[in-house]
Amino acid sequence: MDRIKAKIRDARRQLHRIERANQGDKKSALRILSEAYGRIGKVRHGLLNPLVNAYHPSDMKYPSPLVPRVPHTAPPPPLSPVLCAIILQETKKKIEPELPVPKYKPLHRGRQANLLWRHRSLLLNIVPVSLPYEIVCELEIKAGASPHHPLHLGTLMRGGPLWNQFYAPLNIDYIQHLSPNRIPLPRSTFTRTLWAESPYKIIQKKDPLEYYEDRVSMRERREYSEREKRRMYRRLLMEVPVTDQFTSESLWKSDKWTITKSHWIPRAINQILQDVPDLSVIESTLPTKKIRRL
């Protein structure tokens, strides 16, 4: 019963967030976009799980338990190279923790395994997960990028894993809305029927606070401008790491991964100057006026 009450309370909270987003609350709208694109919540776990637990090479050696014949003292298995690169370059954390060194006795093997697993859980909780290549390109276009721009990820052929070769074979339910092959669901035709009130209902005076709540809930829906939409998608792109394209076969093969960000995120002037494109990109994107000399 408590679980049902908690689910109803959570559903009511989510519904109120959608209502506030439709009324123009940008904070609620950005929260919904973060959940939909896997920055937080179940979708994030669905995107992260294949990077951790799937597509291990056949010759991979799992660490043996620190205490013989005690399986729960085994250290965590190694992470994929692309996930290690995201952790090192984005979170600035070490893959392996610095274990304490007691003065008068060696560190207990069981405590050593607990510390290793605790650090691994910390890394997996804070690491930003890469999105599929097709979805990152879609986000950049929604953020204002041109599909034929030289710095667009679709032109650079960078972004993340390919959906059909990485996520599609696993068939994870709660990330199917990110599939580039998805079919939009038709709008529901369900209409709520109003039941007649019972004649035996006791007539009561309505509390003044209920009038206020009804007035607040009946706020009109506000459409976001194109500029507001672009700014929200750019804010979302700040949390998306950009990697090379990879599939289930190339996940463990390469050890050199470069993690970058999209060129359409808001950045400070010192970060922009560090990422000045080469002369060919400048000439193809910026129109130059020829000065006529007399």
Side-chain angles (χ1 to χ4, degrees), residues 26 35 97 118 141 213 236 243 259 279 287:
K26 296 179 183 178
E35 292 183 357
R118 180 182 178 183
I141 293 175
E213 292 177 356
L236 183 65
T243 66
I259 311 300
L279 186 60

Side-chain angles (χ1 to χ4, degrees), residues 7 25 39 70 72 76 78 81 99 103 162 178 186 199 217 221 232 234 248 251 261 265 272 288 290:
K7 292 292 184 181
D25 186 6
R39 300 306 89 199
V70 183
H72 68 268
L99 298 176
K103 290 184 178 180
L162 298 174
L178 296 177
S217 62
R221 178 177 177 180
M232 282 193 289
R234 289 176 183 179
S248 58
L251 177 62
K261 293 286 187 180
I265 63 173
I272 295 175
T288 57
K290 297 182 178 180

Side-chain angles (χ1 to χ4, degrees), residues 15-29:
L15 178 60
H16 291 334
R17 180 176 293 125
I18 295 174
E19 289 178 350
R20 290 194 301 270
N22 288 333
Q23 293 165 3
D25 186 6
K26 296 179 183 178
K27 183 178 179 181
S28 300

